Amino acid sequence: MKYLAFEKTFRDFLVFSIQDIRKHCPDFDHRRLVEWQQKGYILKLRRSYYCFAERRKDELFLYFSANKFYSPSYVSFESALAYYNLIPEAVFTITSTTTRNTANYDTTIGNFTYKHLKPSLFFAYRLIQGDGAMIKIGEPEKVILDYFYINKLNSMAEIEGMRFNEIQVKELVDFLKLEKYLRIFDSRVLDKRIQLFKKVINA
């Protein structure tokens, strides 16, 4: 298969995998992938995953890659908190939740971490548009709950250390929805952490 034909077939893929290639081109010679990497046409992201070298590697590309590398998953925790401007710090590891085992991938475009939640807690994510692709990211209320469920912040001082943007939280978060989702977690420890969180942000 010539590169121009390959590029035409996969130009709309932000990230394409060996599985994608087999599906669309059953007789594809995988040696071409090595050849095209050496020529600078494509970039290997991690084992079995590639993108075109000229593809813009912005934040949404990284989020889509996170969805693609390990499925089912959606962007959550620190990455989603930063995306919604609920915390001020830049986040250099893309953090997601998954129903599969906890995992971590150090790739050519950054570090990707996946934290396990049981299937009954895998809900309340939305689809956002990113360069022609749909990206799964947790709703603000669910992201907050995911974060406090996994991270053991049990004092106001620890939560204050996260430097939550009080104005943004109050503008973006539906606290009735937060309480509704909180009941699904059915966790006394999480209940206490969320009450502390609400005190910190004066909600």
Side-chain angles (χ1 to χ4, degrees):
M1 187 177 195
K2 293 185 177 180
Y3 176 74
L4 289 178
F6 180 87
E7 193 275 336
K8 183 178 180 180
T9 301
F10 293 99
R11 66 177 52 161
D12 293 330
F13 286 63
L14 288 187
V15 175
F16 48 89
S17 66
I18 294 293
Q19 187 175 0
D20 294 326
I21 296 172
R22 287 173 179 162
K23 179 179 178 181
H24 291 82
C25 309
D27 299 325
F28 183 78
D29 183 349
H30 290 186
R31 290 176 296 181
R32 298 286 81 77
L33 294 174
V34 175
E35 174 188 331
W36 296 337
Q37 286 178 71
Q38 293 171 344
K39 291 182 176 180
Y41 297 160
I42 65 174
L43 175 67
K44 185 175 183 178
L45 303 177
R46 60 169 293 253
R47 183 180 178 183
S48 299
Y49 291 89
Y50 302 82
C51 73
F52 291 110
E54 73 275 9
R55 178 73 67 184
R56 186 173 69 246
K57 317 299 191 301
D58 59 9
E59 181 181 60
L60 293 181
F61 175 86
L62 296 177
Y63 291 167
F64 179 82
S65 298
N67 289 174
K68 182 81 171 176
F69 289 162
Y70 205 58
S71 180
S73 68
Y74 63 82
V75 177
S76 188
F77 308 111
E78 295 90 340
S79 292
L81 290 174
Y83 172 79
Y84 290 122
N85 294 315
L86 299 180
I87 58 174
E89 284 81 5
V91 176
F92 300 103
T93 295
I94 306 301
T95 50
S96 302
T97 185
T98 180
T99 56
R100 298 171 65 185
N101 292 334
T102 293
N104 183 79
Y105 298 110
D106 188 13
T107 77
T108 57
I109 53 173
N111 188 265
F112 295 79
T113 293
Y114 302 84
K115 300 178 182 180
H116 170 78
L117 288 181
K118 58 187 178 181
S120 62
L121 300 180
F122 192 86
F123 68 94
Y125 55 86
R126 59 180 53 161
L127 296 174
I128 59 174
Q129 184 77 22
D131 200 13
M134 302 307 293
I135 299 162
K136 296 189 289 291
I137 187 169
E139 295 177 2
E141 299 81 6
K142 183 59 164 49
V143 168
I144 290 170
L145 293 172
D146 288 349
Y147 182 81
F148 282 104
Y149 185 70
I150 292 294
N151 293 279
K152 299 177 180 179
L153 278 65
N154 295 312
S155 71
M156 291 185 67
E158 289 174 311
I159 296 172
E160 287 169 349
M162 286 293 296
R163 297 167 59 209
F164 279 95
N165 183 335
E166 180 180 331
I167 294 174
Q168 183 73 351
V169 170
K170 291 178 178 177
E171 181 176 312
L172 201 60
V173 174
D174 180 337
F175 284 92
L176 291 178
K177 184 186 287 188
L178 181 74
E179 292 295 331
K180 175 184 175 183
Y181 291 167
L182 178 59
R183 290 194 292 272
I184 297 173
F185 278 79
D186 191 26
S187 167
R188 291 183 180 180
V189 172
L190 182 59
D191 288 346
K192 292 179 180 179
R193 291 173 184 165
I194 293 301
Q195 294 311 311
L196 289 174
F197 166 71
K198 291 169 72 173
K199 286 183 180 179
V200 168
I201 62 168
N202 299 303

